[in-house]
Amino acid sequence: AQAAPGGGTAWPLDAVYDSTNNKLIVAWGNSATTANTNMIIAYDYNDSTGAFGTANTLYDISTASGLSLYNISAMYLDATNSVLYVSTAISTATTVVNYSIEKFTYDPSQIGVDNTKVLTRVGTSPFYPYGIDTKCISSMRVAD
C-alpha cells in the first residue's frame, strides 16, 4: 500500500505502469485546488516485490501555471511513442465544457532529475476538447 500525498487529503484516481522504467504513475485528486490534492506522481516500483520507492511529483495543481488538471479520471501511457494522455476536468465546475483530454510528451529520463520536464503539454489547447463524450471517462486507450 502507498500513503496518499498531503497527509491523506487526496485519493488515487488512476494509474499507469511504465514497465521499461519501473515507474508507477498515479493521478491523485480531491475537491480542492490546494497543494497535495490534484497531482500526478511517479513512484519507483519493484514489480517482483510490489514495493514502492521514491515518489516524484510530476504535476501539482497548486504550482502549475496555465494548466489545471482537476480530478483526473483516466490516463493512458503510450510508452512506444513517449506520450501520456490524461482525461481531466479543467476546473471545479461540473458543466460539459469543463472536461477534456490532454496530451503530454513523456520523458522518463527526467524523473528525479528535473520533474518539471517529465511531462510537456503538446500544443496550447487540449488534445481533445470538451464534449458530452469527455465527461467521466473511466478508462481509455488511444490508437492510430
Side-chain angles (χ1 to χ4, degrees):
Q2 180 62 36
T9 60
W11 54 87
L13 303 172
D14 197 20
V16 293
Y17 183 56
D18 175 357
S19 61
T20 303
N21 299 289
N22 296 320
K23 304 291 182 186
L24 184 65
I25 302 168
V26 180
W28 294 88
N30 81 4
S31 59
T33 56
T34 55
N36 300 315
T37 58
N38 286 278
M39 308 173 72
I40 298 175
I41 299 177
Y43 297 92
D44 290 335
Y45 183 72
N46 185 320
D47 192 35
S48 60
T49 66
F52 286 91
T54 303
N56 290 278
T57 301
L58 308 182
Y59 173 86
D60 186 332
I61 197 169
S62 69
T63 57
S65 69
L67 178 63
S68 292
L69 304 177
Y70 181 77
N71 277 330
I72 293 167
S73 61
M75 295 188 298
Y76 175 71
L77 178 62
D78 178 351
T80 302
N81 294 310
S82 298
V83 175
L84 180 70
Y85 296 90
V86 177
S87 173
T88 184
I90 57 173
S91 75
T92 58
T94 58
T95 60
V96 170
V97 297
N98 189 42
Y99 302 93
S100 65
I101 298 173
E102 294 288 351
K103 180 180 181 180
F104 298 91
T105 58
Y106 170 67
D107 184 355
S109 71
Q110 291 299 306
I111 296 174
V113 177
D114 185 345
N115 295 328
T116 65
K117 294 181 179 179
V118 178
L119 300 177
T120 303
R121 187 182 191 200
V122 176
T124 57
S125 58
F127 168 71
Y128 187 82
Y130 68 86
I132 194 69
D133 53 344
T134 58
K135 188 172 182 179
C136 301
I137 294 173
S138 60
S139 179
M140 74 174 152
R141 180 164 303 240
V142 179
D144 293 334

